Amino acid sequence: MGPHASKKRKRESHVSAERTVIDTTKPSAIFQPTEGRHYTLTIALPGSIIAKSVQNFYLPTWALKFKCSAQSHELKTTLAGQIARALAVFCVDEVVVFDDGQSKRECHNQTENDLYTGFSDPNHFLMHLLSYLETPPHLRKHLFPLHPNLRTAGMLPSLDMPHHLRSHEWCQYREGVTVDNPINAKGAGMDDKKKAYKKSESSSNVSTALVDAGLPQLVSIATAIPPATRVTLKFSTLDAPQKLQSVSPSGAAVAPSAPRQEAGYYWGYTVRPASSLSSVFTECPFDGGYDLTFGTSERGIPLSSLILAEIPPISEFKHALIVFGGVAGLEVAVKSDQELVGMGVTEPQKLFDHWINLCPGQGSRTIRTEEAVWLGLMGLRDVISLKGTK
């Protein structure tokens, strides 16, 4: 073998090594849809975890009388952020915040006109934060006015979900908000947006609406929708237009579930309130209700037994539900639910297909709900992906 062949192999090896260098300064785990997904994943948890998020034993003695200080608000906000991150990471489609009867009004220094609900209505506070974090950043100024609940929401990490698109990024689907005039669509490209607005005024008599989708141009759709309404858009082309900066893409309003069902995108989660544990089931928005349900408790069967042996067997599903309890577990939610009490239900495990213990042999005396959410979604991840109907 000649020396030239050896040098050629060295050069090829060097070029190959250069090509395999990964830029770790940028995220590489970008969601890539493969096919449409028709099953959904829902979790339910009590809003009382917000009311119980600051207990006396977390604070020093001198700080007990200042229990309603900014410190407690920051902890409540951080707790909501931890839950929202879990929802995004594990592609949860719906989150239900139910009342387990444990949310008690805490002492505070609010005035009657104060809108802050972290103490007075923990269920609303949690829903407010979760809804805000799910909304794409470019829509928040339209849909969420200044509110005391959100005063430290900016400190939370971004969810960065597939529908949280930057202005230069393209996807065939996009979230937007209808605007009544281009003045409400503040940002770059304002002159172009005003031109698009004037053009739409002089167009045909077909009812239209202007949508700010975070693009340089407003998008005109042939559907009459009131201003300040969030809409899901589907554009006519899969690839980005060549003149996206100066030409408004053609799009139409579609159902919020279309990106998931048609293309397989994870498109965020919806937030639903429930006045009791039974309302989580009876007010289900899906036809046929939840056909696979899990209740979590330290008194359940080990999750590993369910996954490895499938005892009892796990059936295929269209809509799965995982329910987490608060500080005192799901038992107190059953006792405070008048519908369940009237039906003679006293044990929460009777409400679910599977009653599971997420962490047998736990080293800590308690597992907090926000920790259980991560444990449960991680432990059931393969079950959900394998058993869900495509």
Side-chain angles (χ1 to χ4, degrees), residues 251-311:
V254 296
S257 59
R260 169 178 57 83
Q261 294 179 341
E262 297 176 359
Y265 283 103
Y266 172 57
W267 212 245
Y269 54 82
T270 59
V271 184
R272 175 168 68 90
S275 59
S276 62
L277 179 57
S278 60
S279 297
V280 173
F281 298 88
T282 59
E283 298 174 2
C284 174
F286 306 113
D287 292 338
Y290 303 110
D291 50 358
L292 178 63
T293 58
F294 299 89
T296 61
S297 170
E298 62 184 21
R299 290 165 286 280
I301 66 170
L303 178 58
S304 57
S305 299
L306 177 66
I307 295 177
L308 297 177
E310 289 201 13
I311 301 175

Side-chain angles (χ1 to χ4, degrees), residues 86-165:
L87 300 178
V89 169
F90 295 104
C91 302
V92 173
D93 302 295
E94 180 194 32
V95 55
V96 185
V97 179
F98 66 91
D99 190 347
D100 64 353
Q102 302 301 300
S103 299
K104 297 181 180 180
R105 188 180 181 91
E106 299 180 29
C107 63
H108 53 85
N109 298 320
Q110 292 175 266
T111 64
E112 292 182 357
N113 296 325
D114 198 342
L115 299 177
Y116 181 70
T117 60
F119 300 109
S120 59
D121 191 351
N123 297 329
H124 173 270
F125 180 87
L126 180 57
M127 290 181 56
H128 198 176
L129 265 293
L130 293 179
S131 298
Y132 175 84
L133 292 171
E134 187 276 338
T135 302
H138 69 275
L139 301 185
R140 292 172 182 170
K141 64 179 179 290
H142 297 288
L143 302 176
F144 290 88
L146 293 176
H147 195 283
N149 287 351
L150 305 175
R151 65 176 182 260
T152 58
M155 62 180 272
L156 297 176
S158 171
L159 301 191
D160 207 13
M161 293 183 283
H163 64 303
H164 288 198
L165 295 164

Side-chain angles (χ1 to χ4, degrees), residues 159-177:
L159 301 191
D160 207 13
M161 293 183 283
H163 64 303
H164 288 198
L165 295 164
R166 282 71 169 173
S167 60
H168 65 278
E169 295 177 326
W170 177 258
C171 177
Q172 189 176 16
Y173 301 90
R174 201 176 184 98
E175 290 295 291
V177 59

Side-chain angles (χ1 to χ4, degrees), residues 69-83:
S69 65
Q71 181 186 18
S72 62
H73 165 74
E74 292 171 354
L75 287 174
K76 294 173 189 288
T77 302
T78 301
L79 187 150
Q82 291 173 344
I83 294 173

Side-chain angles (χ1 to χ4, degrees), residues 43-46 49 79 82-88 90 92 95 296 322-325 358 367-380:
I43 75 162
L45 71 169
I49 62 175
L79 187 150
Q82 291 173 344
I83 294 173
R85 284 290 300 170
L87 300 178
F90 295 104
V92 173
V95 55
T296 61
I322 309 172
V323 181
F324 301 90
L358 299 175
I367 293 179
R368 297 171 63 86
T369 303
E370 64 271 25
E371 298 166 346
V373 169
W374 282 90
L375 289 171
L377 292 174
M378 184 68 241
L380 291 169

Side-chain angles (χ1 to χ4, degrees), residues 13 18 30 68 99 130 153 179 184 189 192 198 202 205 215 222 247 259 265 268 285 295 310 324 331 349 354 358 383:
S13 177
E18 288 181 345
I30 299 174
C68 300
D99 190 347
L130 293 179
V179 296
N184 291 338
D192 293 332
K198 293 180 179 179
S202 60
N205 295 327
L215 295 170
V247 178
Y265 283 103
E310 289 201 13
F324 301 90
E331 287 79 3
Q349 56 264 41
H354 304 281
L358 299 175
V383 172

